[in-house]
Each structure stands twice: as structure tokens, then as C-alpha cells.
Amino acid sequence: MKNICYSLLFASSILMACSGNATIDPLRFDSTKYTEQTLAMADGQTIHFRAYEGLQYVTNVEDSTYQTLNVYVPATADENTPIFLRTYVGGYMAAEARKPSAKDASGYALQQGYVLCIAGSRGSNSAVEVDGKKFFTGRAPAGILDLKAAVRYLRHNDKVMAGSAERIITDGTSAGGAMSSLLGSSGNSPLFEQPLKSMGAADESDAVFASVCFCPIVDLEHADMAYEWLYGCTNDGIRALSAEQRVVSQELAAAFPEYINSLNLKAKDGSAITADKYADYVKQYIVTSAQSALDSGVEIPANIGIRIQGGKVTDIDMPKYLSYVASTRALKTPPSFDSQGMLGNRPSPENMLFGNSEGSTVNFTVYCAQKNGGAVDEALQSRINMMNPMYHLSNTSDKAQHWYVRHGARDRDTAFSVPVNLATKLQNGGYDVNFALAWDRGHEGDYDLEELFEWIATVVK
Ligand code: DHB
């Protein structure tokens, strides 16, 4: 009798497991549910691929508009094909899972034969209505949680889906570049474990292989001081700040050297980049950028501060060059990021990002919080850390081995030092980093696609 009971129990549990397979694993990818689609590229080629769209990557969906991903599989892809994971996050706002575009890296990735995944994610503006009340779904760190859940979904289904989840290359621009850098720097970080579990993300690794970051708007809590340190030299010129603004600018800039020293950055030759050497270090990236432009036949105007002798960039008059940058697009006013409550400024996208589900906007730097009579408490600091790749690079996580970081040499959305620090910290960590300030580029991404995909081809070889 005892035995029969046991065998009955055993048999029924197998039955439950089998019959319930579809229901107990709602994150299982169904390879039969696709449509055949095409994309006409600018060069006249039409790409054919299978489209798997609207896939939910968590079981506890809070915002069905954004928490989905699309997968596009070209005919030639097999299980080893790298997966290009594009996010369209901008301004730290929500982004839907879009279709491939012939105009950016998504279409190009398909044309090159990569599996393409476009993941949606919640963001600072996403909201749902609960009991007649607006509930903001995407305040930090929701967006990066969603993208991590998407990575976990790809790994969870690696055996039943074309493409290799061990070869995911992330790509994004600006706040999306920040998201890409977070995916690359915070793989399996313990900070995200519990929230991902609560969301019903697959119990898998969320580490990625490579990250492509165009003009990443990162290190938010130090971005204001970096901006004033760099652009402060224009305050009496093209920027024309008020006396009050100038005080804020000077106070912020004054705090930057200490931050730089705390980073313990090292140059390629191993020497320390202390605050006293830092201005020169940043300048060298502009020199390299201008030189490569010169070498490729680009004409550099004589009046923008680039000193050239015999085809060589010998030096840069930084105030002059930065004034030129500011002439192409007006600079932000201080504080550039944590603007809320400061000198009558309105909340920035970043103030929204760190707000709560009721739609609040908050200061996230000690400087501005204190000026407004507040503080950055532990809970907020933890969310700020989650959103900063610089934090992850100094803490436990599985980092991407390969990095491609670009920031326009006249992009004034954040200071050049922000991507410079990210790239330097990565280099110092021993990762493979391809970094440049791209000459004559503003705040944009997915350019020089040929060069980018040549780089991708070498790292996935
Ligand atoms: C973006 C641009 C910004 O200047 C900023 O502060 C945050 C995000 C963006 O383009 O995504």
C-alpha cells in the first residue's frame, strides 16, 4: 500500500510537470510563433527575417506597453550567431520594443546576419492607472531591471532560440548608452537580484559579452561638477551666466578634483592620472580625435582652437575649442543634471528618474540636496549606485569583456570627462576598450556603422 501511494504520487507529479510545462514556464520562447518580415536597406538590399514580437520577459508584468521584447532572426542565423541587443531608451524615458530600422544599427545588424533583439523597458515617464490613480512604473532602477530581465529571457531560451546568449552585444545612445553601459558593467550584481526575482525575471545570468555605448549619460551624481569643471571657462564668454549661476558653477567645479583623485585612474603607461594631470589627459582625447580627422582629409577650421603644424595637431586652446562647442549648441546651465530647485530651474529628466511611483522628482546629488535643505538617504543612494556603471566597475559583478564607447567631440550634453572616466576605468580593469571622441559629432549615436560592425566582427571571432 505504502509503495502504491508513493508510485501514485510519483506518477502524478510527473504528469503535473509534463502537462503543466507550458503554464509553469511562462517565459518559454515558442519558436513556431513568428511572422516573415522584410526590411529594405538604403543600399537596395531587402533583408528577410523571422519576427518574434511582443514577448513578455517577466512573469509579473507591471507595464505591458513596455515590458516586452522583439526578436528578429535572419535566415542564416544559427545557435552560435551573436545577438545584437538594441535599446531605444532616450532621456531616461520608457522605450517600446520597436521594429528594426534601416537607418540605424538594428537594420545593419540584421544585414550583417546577427540575431537582433529590441527590448522595451519602463522609464521615468511610464505610468499605468491603478484604482483611478496614476502610478509611475519606471522610476530608477526599473529601466535597467527590465533590460536585465530581457537578457535573462534570452539566456533562458538559448537552446530553443537562434543566436547565442553567451554572445550578446548591447547597444544604445545617450540614456540608452547609459543603459548599455549598465548592462555591460553590472552583470549578476547582487544589487539587482531581489528586485529581478520579484518581477518574475528568469533565474539566469544577466551578464553580457560586449557593450556598445554612444554618448552615455552616466555618472549622474558627478556629472554636474564635471560639466562646470570643463565648461566653467566659458562662463564669462559665450555661456553668459548670471552672478548666482556663476557661484554654483564655481562651487561645483571646485569639488571635481577631489572626485578625480578618488577614482585612482591610470594612464595606458600605468602612471596615475591625478587631478593636476587630468585636464591634459582629457585634452589628449580631443587631440587624437582632431588628428584622426586630419589624417582622413577632414578640414579643421582655423578659428576653433585646434593648433596644427605640418599636418600634426600640436595643441588645443581648450577655452577656445569649448566655446566653439558651445556655439554649435547652447550649453546647459548649472547644475546641468540635478537642476531641481536650483536657481529656479525645473526638474531635469534625471530628477524624474530618481522620483517615486507617485511621480515625485528628487535631487540626487549631495550638493543640490543640501542646498535645498535635504539629503541623499541610503535608499536613494542605493538606487543611484544601481544606475551608475562607475559604481559597478568598482564593485562585485560580471563585466562585459569588450567595450566600444563613442562620444561626439562637440557633444555638450555631458562633459567629455564622463565618457573618458568610464573608458579609463574599463581600461584599468583590463577590459578590451575601443574608445574615441568622434570628431565633429554632436549628441548622437549609431554612426560609422561600418567601423562599429568591423569591431564587432573582431570581438566575436
Ligand atoms: C539624454 C540627454 C541628456 O542631455 C540628458 O541629460 C539625459 C538623457 C538623452 O538624449 O537620452
Side-chain angles (χ1 to χ4, degrees), residues 89-92 173-176 217 332 337 349-350 412-413 443:
V89 167
Y92 281 105
T173 295
S174 193
I217 298 283
K332 294 182 176 184
F337 294 86
E350 290 79 8
R412 61 33 123 193
D413 273 52
H443 191 60

Side-chain angles (χ1 to χ4, degrees), residues 76-93:
T76 51
D78 62 25
E79 71 269 26
N80 292 319
T81 305
I83 301 173
F84 192 76
L85 171 56
R86 178 72 157 89
T87 164
Y88 283 96
V89 167
Y92 281 105
M93 290 185 290

Side-chain angles (χ1 to χ4, degrees), residues 351-368:
N351 292 132
M352 287 172 68
L353 177 69
F354 289 110
N356 65 18
S357 58
E358 287 172 1
S360 71
T361 53
V362 301
N363 288 120
F364 53 89
T365 62
V366 174
Y367 177 83
C368 294

Side-chain angles (χ1 to χ4, degrees), residues 120-182:
S121 54
R122 295 166 295 170
S124 59
N125 59 333
S126 57
V128 292
E129 215 173 275
V130 182
D131 300 333
K133 255 184 85 181
K134 201 170 180 183
F135 178 87
F136 285 85
T137 58
R139 299 320 177 75
I144 186 60
L145 286 171
D146 285 350
L147 295 172
K148 280 174 165 295
V151 170
R152 288 176 172 219
Y153 177 94
L154 294 175
R155 207 169 247 110
H156 189 61
N157 290 295
D158 207 16
K159 289 204 169 67
V160 290
M161 191 189 272
S164 167
E166 297 313 316
R167 308 217 286 170
I168 294 174
I169 301 137
T170 65
D171 174 47
T173 295
S174 193
M179 291 297 173
S180 183
S181 76
L182 287 170

